[in-house]
Every structure is written in C-alpha cells, then in structure tokens.
Amino acid sequence: MGTRFIATKECVHANELYKQKLVEGTENDTTVIKRTLGMPARAIANPLTEKILEIEKQGGGYEDLKTLISGSANRKYIYEGDDENGFGWAGQVMGLIKDSPTVAELFGRIINEAEEIRTKWGR
Ligand SMILES: Cc1cc2nc3c(=O)[nH]c(=O)nc-3n(C[C@H](O)[C@H](O)[C@H](O)COP(=O)(O)O)c2cc1C
C-alpha cells in the first residue's frame, strides 16, 4: 500500500522519476538490499542498489554500507529523482501499478475490488 500510494496525484513530494519507475517497471525491476545485515528490504533496482549488492556480495558490513543505505540516499531519490546516488523503496506490487490516479479514485478501485472478491468468495 505504501508503494501504491506514492504513485498518486496527491503524492506531490515524490519526484516524477520515482512515480514513473513505479508505473513503468515490473516486479522484476525491484531488488532486495540489506539482506546480509539481517534487515532485508525491497527497493527499485538501480545503479546504487547494484553497488550496495556488490558490497554485500564482497562481504562488506554495516560500516561499508551505512552511507549508501542511509535516509539521506533515500531522500535523494524521493525528492530529487537521483537515480545514481539515491534509491527508492518499492514492494513487488510495483508490477501491478499502471497509473497515477487520485487517492479518491484509488480508494474507489480498492473498494470495488474488495467487493468483487467478497462476492466471489460468498458464492
Ligand atoms: C514508503 C515506503 C517506505 C519504506 N521505508 C523503509 C525503511 O525506512 N526501511 C526499510 O528497511 N525498508 C523500508 N521500506 C521497504 C519495506 O521494508 C519492504 O521491503 C518493501 O516495501 C517491500 O515489501 P512489501 O511488498 O511488503 O511492501 C519502505 C517501503 C515503502 C513503500
């Protein structure tokens, strides 16, 4: 849900690049970083996540990674759309996101889909 709500008209603080990646990418464009630190988290695959994964593969620890996985690097992506020095969180749901609707429209869809599922299960 966090990922889905970034790609909405009201999420004005997210850079256009972040939203565009969420809309255009599939689940295969995500990757899991920080696994070796025991804190796995999914992000949009990009040059920085590649660098992070390479350091993890080489046996690097928290000290080697802390700047790259920092909130500051995250904010560079969110606010500035910096795809080289920043990273953006995203769940595998990214593969299901095809547009940037308004929150009202999105809630309408979620309610309709929930109703459809309830009807189906009720049969
Ligand atoms: C808006 C947002 C903020 C997130 N913030 C963090 C965070 O601060 N630290 C972290 O390790 N993971 C963070 N994540 C990544 C999640 O831990 C998780 O790996 C990712 O959302 C995929 O899981 P999901 O499909 O269950 O959402 C965040 C994800 C989203 C969408």
Side-chain angles (χ1 to χ4, degrees):
M1 283 296 184
T3 306
R4 173 67 271 203
F5 278 95
I6 294 166
T8 59
K9 298 236 171 356
E10 285 88 343
C11 188
V12 293
H13 298 295
N15 186 278
E16 219 29 63
L17 175 123
Y18 194 0
K19 292 182 167 188
Q20 194 186 338
K21 294 263 181 180
L22 292 177
V23 170
E24 291 175 4
T26 72
E27 60 277 20
N28 295 323
D29 298 311
T30 67
T31 190
V32 176
I33 58 170
K34 303 194 294 170
R35 215 191 280 271
T36 56
L37 301 180
M39 301 184 284
R42 195 171 287 275
I44 300 172
N46 75 350
L48 183 59
T49 60
E50 242 174 67
K51 200 165 155 186
I52 292 167
L53 291 176
E54 187 53 36
I55 294 171
E56 290 193 64
K57 203 165 121 193
Q58 305 286 333
Y62 177 71
E63 284 304 316
D64 307 295
L65 292 165
K66 67 180 182 190
T67 315
L68 306 179
I69 61 172
S70 66
S72 160
N74 187 209
R75 286 191 293 275
K76 272 187 197 152
Y77 193 90
I78 298 171
Y79 301 118
E80 297 162 34
D82 187 342
D83 206 28
E84 288 294 322
N85 308 299
F87 69 88
W89 301 118
Q92 284 177 299
V93 69
M94 176 161 142
L96 299 175
I97 300 173
K98 303 290 174 216
D99 57 7
S100 250
T102 64
V103 169
E105 200 180 329
L106 184 54
F107 265 106
R109 285 186 207 169
I110 293 166
I111 292 166
N112 285 342
E113 284 169 23
E115 286 292 350
E116 276 169 27
I117 292 166
R118 198 170 62 151
T119 308
K120 199 166 103 188
W121 286 353
R123 273 196 220 113

